[in-house]
Each structure stands twice: as structure tokens, then as C-alpha cells.
């Protein structure tokens, strides 16, 4: 329960920053990097439809790009466009057989294309790259530290994130 509230607050803060900051598109990548700290914690919309903060931030950044007429600074490589198009055709051809799990997998893979789309509108200079790598450092340390804690003391992690230790065995 507390983790869900923290995720909602995190998403609201990031959404506000992406939508209303001067360089919100650049900041969207930083918020997406910080979202890796959450692991697989998602917001459940229905019993079968979940959204991860990475997806929410990428959709909001795309919304900002579309509504504010940003200029493109880069292009998506043609090979990546073709790969995504082929994946999309495979998804459509098997949609009747795969069901909703297929939709969730497609949603996960489409994040790559969304990130490429957003990156077209960011001017990658040394300062931008440095800022993104600097913002990556803290989540990487966080993930490493809590991974070691979870491995060494699984009862602490289960107390924080409300895991049932019997189901983890």
C-alpha cells in the first residue's frame, strides 16, 4: 500500500516536471532512468492492464512533443523503423491467438520505439549526455545496494515490500 502511494507520487512529480519544465523532453529521459529503481512495480489500471512509470513518462513526453511542435534534432535509423514495423506485423498477425499477454509484451517492446521517438527531439551534447549519466549513477548504486541487501537479508526486503516469504521459495 505504501509502495503504491510512493509510486503514484513519483509519477505525479515526474509528469509535472516533463509537462511544465522548460526542457521537459530532456528531463523525461532522466525520469525514465530513475524509474529503473522501481523494478517491476507497476500501477494496475485493471486486472490485466498495468503501466510502469517508464511507460507513463514516455507517453507524457510524446504528448508534450506532439502538443508543442518541437523541432527534430535527430532521426530514427531506418533499420530500427523496419524492425519495429516487422514486430508490429507479427503482433497483429497473431493477436487472436496470443490474447492480452501478447498485448502486454507488445507494450513492453514498443517502449524502445517510444524512446527512439523521444530522442529525436533531444539535442545530445556533452552536457546533456553528462547529465543523463550522472542521473544514472544514483539509480545504479541504489539497485546494486538493495540487490545485495535482498540477497543477503530477504526478510528485510519482504518486510519493506510486503512479499510473502513462503511464496518466494
Amino acid at each position: 500500500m505504501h509502495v503504491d502511494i510512493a509510486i503514484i507520487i513519483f509519477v505525479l512529480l515526474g509528469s509535472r516536471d516533463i509537462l511544465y519544465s522548460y526542457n521537459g523532453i530532456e528531463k523525461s529521459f532522466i525520469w525514465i532512468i530513475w524509474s529503473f529503481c522501481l523494478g517491476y512495480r507497476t500501477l494496475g489500471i485493471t486486472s490485466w492492464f498495468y503501466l510502469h512509470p517508464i511507460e507513463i513518462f514516455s507517453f507524457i513526453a510524446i504528448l508534450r512533443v506532439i502538443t508543442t511542435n518541437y523541432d527534430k534534432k535527430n532521426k530514427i535509423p531506418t533499420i530500427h523503423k523496419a524492425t519495429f514495423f516487422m514486430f508490429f506485423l507479427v503482433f497483429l498477425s497473431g493477436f487472436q491467438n496470443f490474447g492480452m499477454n501478447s498485448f502486454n509484451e507488445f507494450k513492453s517492446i514498443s517502449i524502445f520505439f517510444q524512446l527512439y521517438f523521444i530522442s529525436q527531439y533531444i539535442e545530445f551534447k556533452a552536457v546533456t549526455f553528462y547529465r543523463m549519466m550522472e542521473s544514472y549513477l544514483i539509480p545504479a548504486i541504489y539497485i546494486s545496494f538493495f540487490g545485495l541487501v535482498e540477497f543477503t537479508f530477504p526478510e528485510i526486503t519482504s518486510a519493506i515490500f510486503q512479499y510473502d516469504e513462503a511464496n518466494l521459495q
Side-chain angles (χ1 to χ4, degrees):
M1 174 74 174
H2 297 296
V3 174
D4 294 335
I5 292 170
I7 292 172
I8 291 170
I9 290 169
F10 177 76
V11 167
L12 290 175
L13 289 172
S15 300
R16 184 188 147 280
D17 201 25
I18 293 168
L19 287 174
Y20 299 115
S21 292
Y22 172 73
N23 56 349
I25 302 300
E26 286 181 20
K27 287 187 175 184
S28 68
F29 264 48
I30 293 171
W31 282 99
I32 288 169
I33 290 169
W34 276 86
S35 297
F36 284 109
C37 289
L38 300 175
Y40 291 105
R41 287 159 193 84
T42 57
L43 300 172
I45 309 302
T46 65
S47 61
W48 55 268
F49 185 66
Y50 294 91
L51 286 174
H52 193 276
I54 291 173
E55 295 169 313
I56 295 170
F57 292 148
S58 66
F59 289 138
I60 288 173
I62 290 171
L63 177 70
R64 176 156 180 186
V65 164
I66 292 170
T67 58
T68 56
N69 297 325
Y70 265 79
D71 292 331
K72 281 188 181 180
K73 313 250 188 308
N74 307 303
K75 289 179 67 174
I76 298 175
T78 306
I79 188 72
H80 295 298
K81 288 181 187 177
T83 304
F84 182 77
F85 182 71
M86 288 188 303
F87 180 77
F88 186 70
L89 290 178
V90 168
F91 168 73
L92 287 180
S93 68
F95 186 68
Q96 293 174 340
N97 298 331
F98 294 133
M100 291 319 294
N101 285 337
S102 172
F103 175 73
N104 284 328
E105 290 301 318
F106 174 76
K107 197 171 54 97
S108 298
I109 294 297
S110 70
I111 288 175
F112 289 118
F113 192 73
Q114 293 168 16
L115 294 178
Y116 273 119
F117 180 80
I118 294 166
S119 69
Q120 293 180 100
Y121 299 93
I122 298 174
E123 189 173 349
F124 288 101
K125 299 179 284 189
V127 173
T128 309
F129 182 75
Y130 178 74
R131 191 176 315 130
M132 288 183 188
M133 290 302 107
E134 187 178 54
S135 66
Y136 178 76
L137 183 62
I138 294 171
I141 291 170
Y142 168 87
I143 291 168
S144 302
F145 176 75
F146 280 103
L148 291 172
V149 169
E150 182 176 12
F151 180 76
T152 309
F153 308 106
E155 62 278 353
I156 293 174
T157 307
S158 65
I160 294 171
F161 296 111
Q162 297 132 5
Y163 293 140
D164 185 11
E165 210 169 307
N167 290 332
L168 295 177
Q169 304 290 333

